[in-house]
């Protein structure tokens, strides 16, 4: 991938039934004294997206939110004609954050969230980020929501 942004690439195997947010959370926990962890909040426990498996294959995600995507709604990538960029799955973002943290000690998305392709109850779109001292936060917002702390860490889809 030939891009100027920082890209984190990782593969996932075909047999990936354990690569869900719920399973990752059961492995890493929610105790902020033991990073990485996922902030424990009851709102997402029964949501379908926490059971969604990470697709098999290579994943290439931007490690930082696109500056122009900050304070934009979830459909920013569609409206910006960003060729080869799509919203990531929430599990892809969680895996990127944790794999990068284990390898480098750096907590990506410390003060930002990224929109994800997953949806939650009430038609809200899932966001992941704010990986700070309390762990990674999972949130959900209406599609027209905009915030200074919310943007897009897109998934890069290589040209065929």
């Amino acid at each position: 991938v030939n891009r100027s942004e920082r890209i984190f690439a990782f593969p996932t195997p075909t047999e990936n039934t354990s690569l869900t947010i719920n399973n990752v959370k059961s492995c890493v926990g929610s105790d902020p004294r033991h990073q990485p962890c996922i902030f424990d909040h009851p709102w997402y426990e029964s949501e379908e997206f926490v059971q969604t498996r990470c697709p098999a294959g290579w994943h290439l995600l931007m490690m930082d939110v696109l500056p122009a995507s900050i304070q934009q709604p979830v459909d920013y990538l569609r409206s910006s004609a960003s060729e080869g960029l799509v919203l990531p799955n929430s599990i892809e973002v969680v895996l990127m954050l944790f794999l990068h943290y284990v390898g480098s000690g750096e907590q990506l998305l410390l003060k930002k969230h990224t929109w994800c392709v997953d949806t939650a109850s009430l038609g809200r779109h899932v966001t992941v980020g704010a990986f700070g001292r309390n762990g990674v936060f999972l949130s959900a917002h209406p599609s027209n929501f905009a915030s200074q702390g919310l943007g897009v860490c897109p998934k890069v889809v290589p040209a065929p």
Side-chain angles (χ1 to χ4, degrees), residues 3 5 18 22 40 47 59 66 82 84 114 126 128 144:
R3 299 195 63 97
E5 299 90 357
S18 63
N22 267 355
D40 195 21
E47 295 286 343
H59 308 271
L66 291 171
S82 299
T114 181
V126 176
V128 175
N144 62 349

Side-chain angles (χ1 to χ4, degrees), residues 103-115:
S104 71
E106 179 186 9
Q107 289 174 291
L108 299 174
L109 296 179
L110 185 62
K111 296 182 180 184
K112 300 286 186 213
H113 273 79
T114 181
W115 286 109

Side-chain angles (χ1 to χ4, degrees), residues 1-154:
V1 175
N2 187 15
R3 299 195 63 97
S4 60
E5 299 90 357
R6 296 190 312 158
I7 305 288
F8 188 85
F10 62 96
T12 55
T14 303
E15 175 46 49
N16 60 6
T17 55
S18 63
L19 290 179
T20 67
I21 289 177
N22 267 355
N23 287 338
V24 170
K25 184 180 174 195
S26 71
C27 290
V28 300
S30 58
D31 184 348
R33 295 171 297 179
H34 300 98
Q35 294 294 340
C37 72
I38 296 177
F39 183 77
D40 195 21
H41 201 282
W43 84 264
Y44 60 78
E45 287 177 5
S46 62
E47 295 286 343
E48 192 173 310
F49 77 91
V50 296
Q51 294 295 340
T52 302
R53 293 188 319 209
C54 188
W58 278 93
H59 308 271
L60 295 92
L61 280 77
M62 290 189 187
M63 298 164 68
D64 306 293
V65 296
L66 291 171
S69 72
I70 295 172
Q71 290 192 314
Q72 298 297 322
V74 69
D75 66 353
Y76 167 77
L77 287 179
R78 276 194 304 270
S79 64
S80 70
S82 299
E83 192 84 17
L85 301 178
V86 296
L87 290 176
N89 294 16
S90 54
I91 183 61
E92 290 176 304
V93 177
V94 168
L95 289 172
M96 174 188 72
L97 295 175
F98 288 178
L99 291 169
H100 181 71
Y101 177 78
V102 168
S104 71
E106 179 186 9
Q107 289 174 291
L108 299 174
L109 296 179
L110 185 62
K111 296 182 180 184
K112 300 286 186 213
H113 273 79
T114 181
W115 286 109
C116 297
V117 72
D118 308 274
T119 55
S121 57
L122 305 174
R124 298 170 300 156
H125 288 267
V126 176
T127 66
V128 175
F131 183 17
R133 60 187 165 117
N134 291 318
V136 171
F137 278 78
L138 307 173
S139 300
H141 302 285
S143 56
N144 62 349
F145 182 80
S147 164
Q148 185 64 32
L150 180 57
V152 178
C153 284

